[in-house]
Amino acid sequence: MADTLLDDVGGLLRETADQVVLPLFRKLDDADISEKAPGDLVTVADRRAEEVISATLRRLRPGSVVVGEEAVADDPALLSHLHGSGDVWLVDPVDGTSNFAAGRQPFALMVALLTDGEPAAAWVLDPLAGTLAVARAGEGTWLDGRPVRTDEGAPELDALRGAAMSRFLPPASRARVEAGGERLGELLPGQHCAGREYLDVLTGDQQFVLFWSTLPWDHAPGTLLVRGAGGVARRFDGTDYRPADEGHGLLVAASERVWVEVREALLGGP
């Protein structure tokens, strides 16, 4: 991996945010927003940003493949590349589109690089906060240029703070999670932006986050960032999250201890 790759892609996300995404924030009209499926919005900013990001990523790694959220909406067969060899980029051009379309924050730009199916590098940018997190597998995670660790000094169970996207869970699981949340310090409803949830684990604003949907462009970047900082990202059954795997349910935590305690509190059992 080229020594400048983390900086190159980080700079690409900042430039795309400044030139494509932010100029459209709170300036969209009805013609700029559509539905890929009922309730699943896409805006002109998503499409334009993905085009710009994808073109540059291909130049950075000749022969690589880009699997972008909007491209997959048009051609689901692109997902087959996640099982292949070589370099594959996952791109979420505007994570938190519903927020962006409504003129709300947060939203994020996210990229992950997979090599032979395994996460190799990751980037998450919150352009309004100016916060950029980057990671390289085996080398750690940096938040705004500084190394970051999440596994130091986590609060006790009754002081833990985190988010659960409980409204997407099956009814029985939702009831269990909501009841279990009473054992924790604070159970938040989520921000409709996976990228910001992961950043908040890195900053210590929350110690965990629970998801039901686990689309690869939503979670490949953030899971590598959290793992690189000493955290844990596993399915509800305890198996590690892998971007190519299908299924639902993901619990991300600042440390092994937090993961075990939160899983027991919210989901029950080992």
Side-chain angles (χ1 to χ4, degrees), residues 173-237:
S173 297
R174 181 169 64 249
R176 187 183 305 119
V177 166
E178 291 173 350
E182 297 179 3
R183 300 174 57 188
L184 306 174
E186 189 173 9
L187 187 64
L188 305 168
Q191 302 173 76
H192 306 287
C193 176
R196 188 64 245 182
E197 302 289 358
Y198 283 106
L199 290 176
D200 283 355
V201 173
L202 294 178
T203 62
D205 288 338
Q206 61 187 15
Q207 289 78 47
F208 68 90
V209 57
L210 183 149
F211 301 97
W212 180 243
S213 175
T214 59
L215 294 168
W217 42 81
D218 284 333
H219 299 288
T223 53
L224 181 58
L225 290 171
V226 169
R227 286 169 174 163
V232 178
R234 298 189 186 125
R235 299 284 188 179
F236 292 172
D237 65 2

Side-chain angles (χ1 to χ4, degrees), residues 1 10 13 17 22 37 43 45 69-70 92 117 126 129 133 147 153 195 199 201-202 211 224 229 234 236 251 257:
M1 183 176 293
L13 294 187
L22 292 179
T43 74
E69 178 179 7
E70 309 316 327
D92 192 340
D126 178 338
L199 290 176
V201 173
L202 294 178
F211 301 97
L224 181 58
R234 298 189 186 125
F236 292 172
L251 177 60
R257 177 180 69 80

Side-chain angles (χ1 to χ4, degrees), residues 96-266:
T97 297
S98 62
N99 290 342
F100 184 85
R104 299 189 304 263
Q105 54 182 308
F107 52 89
L109 287 74
M110 307 199 296
V111 170
L113 174 64
L114 309 184
T115 299
D116 298 333
E118 296 297 328
W123 300 259
V124 174
L125 171 68
D126 178 338
L128 292 177
T131 300
L132 174 66
V134 304
R136 182 175 286 171
E139 297 185 20
T141 297
W142 294 264
L143 185 64
D144 293 329
R146 299 182 301 276
V148 61
R149 297 292 299 181
T150 64
D151 57 352
E152 300 171 353
E156 295 303 313
L157 181 66
D158 61 0
L160 290 175
R161 183 176 192 267
M165 298 342 112
S166 58
R167 72 186 182 96
F168 298 108
L169 292 166
S173 297
R174 181 169 64 249
R176 187 183 305 119
V177 166
E178 291 173 350
E182 297 179 3
R183 300 174 57 188
L184 306 174
E186 189 173 9
L187 187 64
L188 305 168
Q191 302 173 76
H192 306 287
C193 176
R196 188 64 245 182
E197 302 289 358
Y198 283 106
L199 290 176
D200 283 355
V201 173
L202 294 178
T203 62
D205 288 338
Q206 61 187 15
Q207 289 78 47
F208 68 90
V209 57
L210 183 149
F211 301 97
W212 180 243
S213 175
T214 59
L215 294 168
W217 42 81
D218 284 333
H219 299 288
T223 53
L224 181 58
L225 290 171
V226 169
R227 286 169 174 163
V232 178
R234 298 189 186 125
R235 299 284 188 179
F236 292 172
D237 65 2
T239 56
D240 283 337
Y241 173 79
R242 299 184 71 254
D245 293 343
E246 297 181 2
H248 293 87
L250 174 63
L251 177 60
V252 178
S255 69
E256 179 73 25
R257 177 180 69 80
V258 172
W259 193 93
V260 171
E261 291 182 349
V262 171
R263 186 194 184 282
E264 196 280 329
L266 298 184

Side-chain angles (χ1 to χ4, degrees), residues 49-126:
E50 185 166 304
E51 290 172 1
V52 170
I53 293 168
S54 298
T56 300
L57 293 178
R58 292 188 185 99
R59 289 197 295 271
L60 287 174
R61 281 291 177 92
S64 62
V65 175
V66 178
V67 178
E69 178 179 7
E70 309 316 327
V72 169
D74 295 331
D75 182 9
L78 287 170
L79 286 170
S80 64
H81 291 290
L82 301 186
H83 299 276
S85 60
D87 290 331
V88 177
W89 301 97
L90 280 163
V91 177
D92 192 340
V94 180
D95 175 53
T97 297
S98 62
N99 290 342
F100 184 85
R104 299 189 304 263
Q105 54 182 308
F107 52 89
L109 287 74
M110 307 199 296
V111 170
L113 174 64
L114 309 184
T115 299
D116 298 333
E118 296 297 328
W123 300 259
V124 174
L125 171 68
D126 178 338

